Amino acid sequence: MSKAAAPVRLDKLLANLGYGSRREVQALVRAGRVVLDGVPVTTADERVALSPQLPQRLSIAGVPCDPPPGLVLAMHKPLGMTCSHKEPGPLVYDLLPPRWRLRDPPLSSIGRLDKDTSGLLLLTDDGDLLHKIISPKARISKRYRATLARPLRGDEGALFASGTLTLDGETKPLAPAKLEILSPQNAELTITEGRYHQVRRMFAATGNHVLSLHRDRIGALMLDPALDAGAMAILDANAVKLVFNDES
Ligand code: URA
């Protein structure tokens, strides 16, 4: 999505989208099952321009092709799933349609949420976009709703906003963060960094404990309330722009 892609060979494209090996894709072409602009493709080395509209032009066995590379997804990450292959337990990638798990380049989560955190998680196969979003220099804000074990003391907002709080085991103070108190044990915290377990550790630094944590916003992109836990939606370029369009 970040740069205009050169046209690609159909057999390579479809193999990379998980439709089978190049040989298997060539067999699909020979069987007349790959149709471009209403006409069965005759040679698998035909080149096609990549665009988000490709599924409207290209079908496989009568079904629109999967989204081409440059795919960005907004997932409502459920509790209990991990974002990292290094952690035990089910992975957020298990929620993807089976063929999407075979894609090359693969879909990767843009940053991570803990196993016990729910909410907005972006995934993409666009490495440049991924790095642009997670780069500390981008300072993209992320908003979390936390339920706490104990009532807030009252000084947490000032402490988090001060830019002086240093987490246990670290030497560099956190960037200023914004706390909005919703009730004695519920608050929204907006941070611009992505340190390990950052929100939980920030509240721990004030003698509190996070009971539940949910991310509902990245930049100006909100988690769509129509997305149930475990569901995902494809983001178009305008939705992706919202991530960088931060007013907080
Ligand atoms: N901070 C946390 O503590 N956990 C998350 O998943 C995200 C931010």
Side-chain angles (χ1 to χ4, degrees):
M1 199 163 275
S2 47
K3 41 182 186 271
V8 292
R9 281 175 60 122
L10 263 175
D11 54 353
K12 183 167 195 290
L13 172 68
L14 293 179
N16 287 347
L17 289 178
Y19 284 91
S21 65
R22 270 171 79 165
R23 204 172 271 261
E24 285 163 336
V25 170
Q26 284 158 8
L28 283 172
V29 168
R30 275 197 305 278
R33 310 198 83 193
V34 179
V35 173
L36 181 64
D37 297 327
V39 181
V41 172
T42 49
T43 58
D45 58 5
E46 182 162 335
R47 284 177 187 266
V48 64
L50 294 182
S51 85
Q53 287 72 41
L54 189 64
Q56 291 150 39
R57 299 182 54 208
L58 180 67
S59 67
I60 321 299
V63 179
C65 73
D66 289 346
L71 179 57
V72 188
L73 299 173
M75 177 186 281
H76 182 164
K77 179 195 171 292
L79 296 172
M81 298 195 104
T82 72
C83 295
S84 164
H85 294 271
K86 290 183 196 141
E87 287 173 53
L91 288 162
V92 291
Y93 303 106
D94 299 341
L95 295 168
L96 296 172
R99 193 167 46 233
W100 292 18
R101 289 182 235 152
L102 304 173
R103 292 168 67 108
D104 180 20
L107 287 160
S108 303
S109 73
I110 303 181
R112 288 183 187 160
L113 289 176
D114 302 338
K115 188 173 186 174
D116 298 328
T117 302
S118 58
L120 179 58
L121 180 71
L122 302 179
L123 297 103
T124 188
D125 56 11
D126 180 340
D128 291 346
L129 177 71
L130 186 150
H131 287 112
K132 244 170 98 183
I133 295 176
I134 64 170
S135 160
K137 278 193 227 132
R139 296 181 32 202
I140 287 173
S141 70
K142 284 137 310 214
R143 187 172 75 179
Y144 296 86
R145 202 172 57 231
T147 302
L148 302 162
R150 285 175 275 287
L152 290 150
R153 303 187 306 214
D155 63 343
E156 293 90 344
L159 177 65
F160 294 164
S162 69
T164 61
L165 175 62
T166 303
L167 293 174
D168 243 9
E170 297 191 4
T171 51
K172 189 172 176 236
L174 293 171
K178 187 167 135 201
L179 185 73
E180 278 184 65
I181 297 175
L182 306 176
S183 74
Q185 286 175 233
N186 284 283
E188 282 175 351
L189 180 59
T190 304
I191 61 176
T192 57
E193 297 167 290
R195 301 198 203 180
Y196 182 68
H197 287 184
Q198 181 168 338
V199 173
R200 293 174 199 274
R201 291 165 71 212
M202 288 173 75
F203 283 108
T206 69
N208 216 323
H209 176 71
V210 171
L211 293 178
S212 74
L213 193 60
H214 176 84
R215 180 161 73 188
D216 72 347
R217 204 179 73 193
I218 299 176
L221 179 74
M222 297 289 302
L223 176 63
D224 182 347
L227 277 187
D228 291 333
M232 67 199 85
I234 296 173
L235 296 184
D236 64 19
N238 286 331
V240 174
K241 268 192 210 147
L242 289 175
V243 170
F244 298 97
N245 175 8
D246 198 350
E247 286 135 30
S248 59

